[in-house]
């Protein structure tokens, strides 16, 4: 779980569920969001996210995984 903050204020927050494929996109999105949370469900159980992220209904959410990662059984916790 990573938190990336942008120097400019946009008033928007993104939760990006990703693998290494999705990580390459995060820097390109920083101009559109104050904060981007990068979540890799291979390493953190989804039920624990509420302990680290104050999830709001107005956050944007993207699920971005490579197809190779999706085909591996048991890859997500």
């Amino acid at each position: 779980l990573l938190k990336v903050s942008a120097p400019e204020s946009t008033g928007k927050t993104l939760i990006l569920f990703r693998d290494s494929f999705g990580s390459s996109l995060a820097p390109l999105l920083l101009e559109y969001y104050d904060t981007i949370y990068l979540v890799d469900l291979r390493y953190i159980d989804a039920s624990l996210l509420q302990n680290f992220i104050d999830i709001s209904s107005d956050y944007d959410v993207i699920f971005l995984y490579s197809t190779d990662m999706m085909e591996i059984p048991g890859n997500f916790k």
Side-chain angles (χ1 to χ4, degrees):
L1 177 64
L2 298 172
K3 177 182 177 183
V4 180
S5 299
E8 300 288 325
S9 179
T10 63
K12 295 178 74 178
T13 299
L14 171 68
I15 301 175
L16 176 59
F17 292 91
R18 52 76 177 174
D19 57 7
S20 58
F21 176 78
S23 295
S24 62
L25 181 65
L28 302 173
L29 298 172
L30 272 176
E31 71 179 277
Y32 304 104
Y33 294 96
D34 286 346
T35 304
I36 298 176
Y37 292 101
L38 302 164
V39 180
D40 192 332
L41 292 177
R42 296 174 296 169
Y43 304 111
I44 186 168
D45 192 301
S47 65
L48 297 175
L49 288 179
Q50 64 188 2
N51 297 333
F52 302 102
I53 302 173
D54 183 23
I55 299 173
S56 172
S57 62
D58 64 340
Y59 288 177
D60 292 339
V61 178
I62 298 175
F63 291 88
L64 187 60
Y65 291 96
S66 64
T67 55
D68 292 339
M69 194 60 56
M70 299 298 290
E71 293 176 352
I72 300 172
N75 212 9
F76 301 100
K77 297 180 182 209

